[in-house]
Amino acid sequence: MQNDKRLAARVARGDRRAFEELVDAYGPRVHRLVRRYVDAPSDAEDVTQEIFLELYRSIGSFRGDSALATWVHRVALNRCLKHQQRRPPTAVPYEDALRTHPDEATDPAHSATRRELGDRVHAALGCLSPEHRDVVILHEMQELTYQECAQVLQIPVGTVKSRLFNAFRRLRDQLGAYVLSDGGGDPVARALPETTA
Amino acid sequence: MSENVRTEGHFSGEDLKAFCDGELPWSRRLILRRHLAHCADCRQEVLTMRQLHHDLVRTDSLPGAFSPALRARILAELDQAAVPVPAQAGRPQNHLLRYGIAAAVAANALLVFVVSRSALVQQPRQGNAPVSAPLAAKSGGRVMAPAPHPTRPRLADAAKSRVAASGGGTYARPSIVNMPKPDAQPQKVEPITRRAAAPTAQSSLPANAETETGPARSTSLGTEQNSLAEQVTPGPTGGSPSAKRPETAHLNLSSAPPPPPAPPSLVPAAPLAAPAPPAVVGGAHADRGAGNFSGGGFPGGGGGAAGNANGVVASSAAARPVAPPAPPLEPGQLQFAPLKQDVAARKAPPVRLKATPPAAGAIVFGAMERATPELIGTLPPPELPPDFDHARVKSPCVLTVEVAADGHVSGVRLKRSSGSATYDEACQAAIRRALFQPAIKDHTPRVDTTEVRYTDPS
């Protein structure tokens, strides 16, 4: 927490090096979050750029009451939601659709399977309500804790817990065939991995 | 043991999910682990959640990762960005200030409690509120009663005053402070009436008033008026009686020796600005929070005392801005401390709400909230040269427009070029002529940015 405050103070003083540290620390996570809300990669880059610009401008409002990651996610999520309100989802530009994932060049079969599952997961996430989707993205993909999710979304921790479970139940209904067909071995050991370790 | 055996009731799905996420408290986690060893349903649920989590994480690598080019773009944008808002250094101080205020309030409350406790110990029978005649007679006028609200007049008190003035009841001062002892003898607990009724050289109360109220009466209005007359007598230095207004229920238990006696003076140094009739004065006095001393309750028989009370109120109203030091007290003289909030109100400057008028031509919408600026009307068309080659426009020209609080465009930045510099410049020039509805947050128009996309129709 002290490091967060120190870094924020340096950025607020206009320290370019500190801002680079901020970009390096949170750039991938922020961009990954943006990609969940913005379809077109080019637009996602623009939104990511705007987020960091906003972070730079408003870093003075970071009081250190929460972790810097929580504050960054809060700003990023707000910007993403604002982007969604401003512009409804549009079709992905053709040149963006042609961009290939780096894995595809090495293992096309694996990449195809993974991409199919990814499309399924993406579609299933799209079926969730915005509230459930937010909490799934923040917790499962951004790896925030329940407490951090509650701070970012400004809701109680219990609400995070219930929303997450309800979201998972709907995802399981959507991806039932994919989820239940996977796995193998001793179910007890898989359910309680720490007992076998 | 069979997997279908259920040793306990099923855990909720939320608990199972929290267990998967490691967010369950360790005690409940232990119980759940034991339960999972025997319950196939819950175990299957946990397995499904783990698998789903694994799939979500595994498929989270969408194309378009955070590339070095994007990083360079962000850092390049930093050069054009405004200076960040400086960190609010006052925040921690605000915390300290908040804690300090809380500590001061707590200490003040403790002090008041201790003082009131010691007052009860030192003067256990000193009443400060009207009491009924039977009770007062039974206990020698020393029945403690809950003090009235110091700033709220009570009609019942005025009625009691009238009853007391006519000799039919007793009266206890609601706010008596600083009753200095004539000597350094240990403080002797005695009824207030005896102390207040002690004749002094400054007393302006006629002798018949004392006689009328009767010395045997425990806490009579006559003695009250006597003490009131004493305490409103301004000193020779022109002290205003407002400094001694009876408006408080605080007890000043200072045991310091009394100040040197002031020379007897019954004439106010400053003439009263507008002496009001006793009835009106009484009402005004009641408004000041000491309705117990309602001058209107004084019959004509107590003219001397009523006149003094009249002078108190009128002069306190007239000489409010002037607060010269109070004259020294006489032994046995009563002093009334002003209310703290009244002192603060006198010192504090008047609070004025600052209303910022909207700028000329500003568009202010009452209770609306607008996240981003919205264009009014249609986009102004770009003014292109006649021989402009529209084939050079490859894509829409995207502009980031900064809209001021008054709805005018205050800045334009090219976000994505159309492929034609001429077209881009024409679009930027055109958008500057546009008018927007500004973003509104907290009912206040604010500067915000929005995106505008120009598409060449041809």
Side-chain angles (χ1 to χ4, degrees):
Chain A
M1 194 74 79
Q2 289 300 321
N3 292 336
D4 289 347
K5 290 181 73 172
R6 234 175 277 135
L7 179 62
R10 286 172 55 204
V11 174
R13 286 196 298 266
D15 188 345
R16 184 184 176 88
R17 180 66 194 155
F19 186 71
E20 289 180 8
E21 291 180 22
L22 185 74
V23 172
D24 293 339
Y26 296 104
R29 293 179 72 183
V30 167
H31 190 61
R32 199 164 62 219
L33 176 70
V34 172
R35 287 290 290 115
R36 285 291 168 192
Y37 288 92
V38 182
D39 291 329
S42 57
D43 285 348
E45 291 185 354
D46 291 343
V47 172
T48 303
Q49 188 175 351
E50 291 172 1
I51 287 171
F52 276 99
L53 200 60
E54 186 173 340
L55 288 174
Y56 180 70
R57 283 175 174 157
S58 59
I59 193 74
S61 64
F62 174 68
R63 300 194 302 265
D65 296 338
S66 62
L68 185 58
T70 307
W71 184 74
V72 168
H73 273 89
R74 178 71 200 158
V75 173
L77 185 64
N78 279 341
R79 175 61 72 168
C80 291
L81 297 178
K82 195 174 177 182
H83 178 84
Q84 278 191 334
Q85 290 175 356
R86 185 190 305 170
R87 189 178 305 163
T90 55
V92 178
Y94 182 69
E95 59 272 21
D96 291 339
L98 289 180
R99 293 190 186 184
T100 57
H101 195 272
D103 291 347
E104 289 186 18
T106 57
D107 189 356
H110 174 72
S111 176
T113 306
R114 182 174 175 171
R115 189 154 191 166
E116 182 185 358
L117 181 60
D119 292 343
R120 287 276 180 176
V121 169
H122 195 67
L125 282 174
C127 295
L128 296 177
S129 66
E131 294 82 11
H132 290 116
R133 189 167 181 244
D134 291 343
V135 76
V136 167
I137 290 175
L138 288 177
H139 178 68
E140 302 296 333
M141 299 170 180
Q142 298 300 113
E143 299 173 352
L144 297 186
T145 64
Y146 285 8
Q147 184 68 35
E148 290 170 339
C149 290
Q151 289 177 350
V152 171
L153 298 173
Q154 295 179 338
I155 56 177
V157 176
T159 307
V160 173
K161 201 173 168 182
S162 61
R163 281 186 188 176
L164 198 55
F165 168 68
N166 290 326
F168 257 62
R169 195 170 53 186
R170 294 179 190 182
L171 285 176
R172 187 186 57 190
D173 295 341
Q174 294 281 333
L175 302 170
Y178 282 86
V179 174
L180 298 180
S181 63
D182 207 343
D186 182 14
V188 177
R190 285 194 293 125
L192 302 170
E194 55 268 37
T195 59
T196 59
Chain B
M1 186 176 291
S2 168
E3 290 185 356
N4 295 326
V5 174
R6 296 180 179 179
T7 56
E8 302 172 37
H10 286 295
F11 277 73
S12 69
E14 297 174 6
D15 278 347
L16 295 177
K17 182 74 181 88
F19 174 78
C20 295
D21 296 331
E23 297 269 359
L24 208 60
W26 69 271
S27 56
R28 194 157 179 79
R29 187 177 179 85
L30 288 178
I31 298 172
L32 183 53
R33 283 168 57 90
R34 287 182 55 193
H35 173 78
L36 287 180
H38 304 289
C39 180
D41 293 341
C42 291
R43 195 162 57 235
Q44 184 59 43
E45 184 80 14
V46 169
L47 281 175
T48 306
M49 288 178 178
R50 286 190 190 279
Q51 186 62 43
L52 194 51
H53 168 77
H54 179 67
D55 290 341
L56 286 174
V57 173
R58 191 172 53 170
T59 60
D60 191 28
S61 55
L62 291 173
F66 189 74
S67 60
L70 177 57
R71 180 183 183 277
R73 270 180 60 188
I74 292 172
L75 295 178
E77 185 77 12
L78 184 66
D79 298 333
Q80 303 172 3
V83 177
V85 179
Q88 300 178 9
R91 289 285 185 180
Q93 295 172 6
N94 286 343
H95 285 296
L96 292 177
L97 181 62
R98 205 176 306 158
Y99 295 147
I101 290 174
V105 168
N108 197 9
L110 183 63
L111 183 64
V112 168
F113 175 74
V114 170
V115 167
S116 59
R117 290 287 297 176
S118 59
L120 290 178
V121 170
Q122 294 181 9
Q123 301 175 352
R125 295 297 183 180
Q126 180 173 310
N128 59 352
V131 295
S132 63
L135 281 177
K138 186 181 292 184
S139 59
R142 295 181 295 182
V143 177
M144 295 295 292
H149 194 282
T151 60
R152 192 171 301 163
R154 294 178 59 184
L155 296 178
D157 295 339
K160 287 177 182 176
S161 300
R162 281 190 287 273
V163 172
S166 61
T170 59
Y171 182 76
R173 285 272 293 103
S175 53
I176 302 169
V177 296
N178 194 12
M179 291 167 289
K181 300 177 289 293
D183 48 14
Q185 297 295 327
Q187 189 170 1
K188 182 180 179 181
V189 177
E190 54 184 0
I192 181 175
T193 55
R194 295 184 60 188
R195 210 176 301 125
T200 62
Q202 297 179 352
S203 175
S204 63
L205 190 68
N208 60 347
E210 179 68 29
T211 308
E212 179 182 331
T213 54
R217 203 174 296 157
S218 58
T219 311
S220 66
L221 183 62
T223 56
E224 184 56 41
Q225 291 184 6
N226 190 3
S227 64
L228 189 61
E230 291 170 359
Q231 60 107 15
V232 301
T233 303
T237 57
S240 168
S242 65
K244 298 183 290 182
R245 258 194 337 272
E247 293 180 350
T248 180
H250 297 288
L251 288 175
N252 186 350
L253 298 179
S254 169
S255 60
S265 172
L266 302 181
V267 182
L272 302 181
V280 177
V281 169
H285 203 94
D287 287 341
R288 297 209 58 76
N292 315 66
F293 300 100
S294 171
F298 298 150
N308 281 324
N310 184 7
V312 169
V313 178
S315 63
S316 67
R320 169 170 277 274
V322 182
L329 293 177
E330 278 294 317
Q333 189 177 3
L334 301 179
Q335 181 189 11
F336 302 93
L339 281 176
K340 288 181 178 178
Q341 58 263 34
D342 197 52
V343 175
R346 253 179 265 153
K347 291 179 179 177
V351 178
R352 294 179 181 175
L353 296 178
K354 184 187 290 183
T356 306
I363 302 171
V364 179
F365 298 89
M368 285 180 59
E369 294 284 330
R370 189 177 298 112
T372 57
E374 294 176 7
L375 179 68
I376 298 177
T378 57
L379 277 175
E383 296 178 354
L384 299 169
D387 55 345
F388 178 70
D389 183 11
H390 290 274
R392 300 188 62 178
V393 179
K394 302 294 184 186
S395 61
C397 171
V398 182
L399 303 173
T400 300
V401 182
E402 184 183 74
V403 179
D406 60 357
H408 288 90
V409 175
S410 56
V412 180
R413 186 169 57 88
L414 179 64
K415 185 174 181 182
R416 191 179 302 168
S417 173
S418 63
S420 168
T422 306
Y423 188 76
D424 294 343
E425 292 173 3
C427 292
Q428 293 184 52
I431 197 60
R432 290 185 186 278
R433 303 194 300 269
L435 189 63
F436 288 79
Q437 293 178 347
I440 298 178
K441 187 178 181 185
D442 297 331
H443 311 293
T444 306
R446 296 178 185 277
V447 180
D448 203 346
T449 60
T450 187
E451 286 186 13
V452 173
R453 184 182 297 253
Y454 270 97
T455 305
D456 190 13
S458 58

